[in-house]
Amino acid sequence: AWLSLGEAEQEAGEDGSAALRRAVAVLEEAAGRDSRPTTWNNLGNARTKLFAALALRGEDPRVGYARALEAFSEALRRDPDPSSFWANRANARVLLAEAVQARGEDARPELRAAMEDYDPAVSRSGAEGPLWSNRASAARRMGEAEAAMGGAPLPWYDQGPLLSYLETVHVGSDRNMIDLRFPVQYVIRPDLSFRGFAGTVASGLLR
């Protein structure tokens, strides 16, 4: 009930963290004496939603997301079949990766693990639908992280990441101040007595 209340408050635009804290406390107590995997999965969901709400307030959610992952992992240890358990853990890994990236750290391990969790979720529920879209989104984020941080070593390439090179390459001396180049983008002719040309000076100078 506390989890549903927190979710309802968030849908109404409120913080919801107080109700979610109560939900986490109740579910932690229940998990200590209940062996059902759904209890652990619900605990993971409550922790994920709580620390997502705290992140919006500027708090560091990384430890909280890690604890959510522990609960989802316990649910999967007890019952590895439900696709929702795999999807929930994958979603929590993506949130943890976002928190890690926000602090300039390497999020590739969590994104890689998220894609590995999405695979059984997709295979159990079918390739169509939001799970496949979430998996594709994690793969895109992984590609962006590889571009920013440097991908796996390739035998034919021993330089740094392409993005780092593009951000630091010197281009100041490439400006040509002699040869005029003026690509025409638009011809202005309001009447037969005037014809003007609009464009951008690509090189050279006009005085």
Side-chain angles (χ1 to χ4, degrees):
W2 286 111
L3 179 58
S4 298
L5 176 60
E7 291 173 342
E9 289 178 348
Q10 287 184 327
E11 290 177 359
E14 301 177 21
D15 180 74
S17 60
L20 291 171
R21 285 187 192 276
R22 294 291 299 272
V24 168
V26 170
L27 287 166
E28 284 177 342
E29 181 181 354
R33 52 184 169 76
D34 188 351
S35 61
R36 289 179 297 177
T38 52
T39 301
W40 288 95
N41 183 66
N42 290 338
L43 175 57
N45 279 329
R47 285 175 174 171
T48 300
K49 293 179 182 297
L50 170 61
F51 287 97
L54 296 179
L56 293 176
R57 291 177 7 190
E59 298 186 28
D60 187 350
R62 289 176 292 179
V63 174
Y65 289 149
R67 296 196 65 198
L69 289 175
E70 292 173 0
F72 289 132
S73 297
E74 185 63 25
L76 286 166
R77 186 184 70 81
R78 296 167 185 266
D79 185 0
D81 189 56
S83 63
S84 61
F85 290 6
W86 291 99
N88 288 339
R89 189 170 75 170
N91 292 337
R93 289 193 190 281
V94 171
L95 290 172
L96 177 56
E98 291 176 351
V100 168
Q101 279 185 319
R103 285 154 181 81
E105 301 173 7
D106 188 359
R108 289 175 296 175
E110 289 303 332
L111 290 169
R112 190 176 295 111
M115 289 191 293
E116 291 173 357
D117 280 351
Y118 278 128
D119 286 338
V122 170
S123 66
R124 284 166 169 77
S125 63
E128 300 297 330
L131 285 180
W132 181 254
S133 176
N134 289 349
R135 205 275 184 198
S137 177
R140 176 183 58 78
R141 291 173 182 268
M142 183 66 181
E144 293 171 352
E146 293 280 14
M149 304 295 294
L154 299 173
W156 48 268
Y157 184 75
D158 60 358
Q159 305 299 315
L162 174 61
L163 185 59
S164 298
Y165 172 77
L166 293 176
E167 290 176 343
T168 59
V169 64
H170 177 67
V171 297
S173 60
D174 292 345
R175 298 179 63 189
N176 184 345
M177 308 300 289
I178 300 174
D179 302 309
L180 177 64
R181 289 184 175 84
F182 182 75
V184 175
Q185 298 169 305
Y186 187 66
V187 178
I188 304 170
R189 196 172 187 187
D191 53 53
L192 296 178
S193 64
F194 176 84
R195 176 177 292 173
F197 300 97
T200 302
V201 177
S203 66
L205 293 173
L206 286 175
R207 291 188 174 90

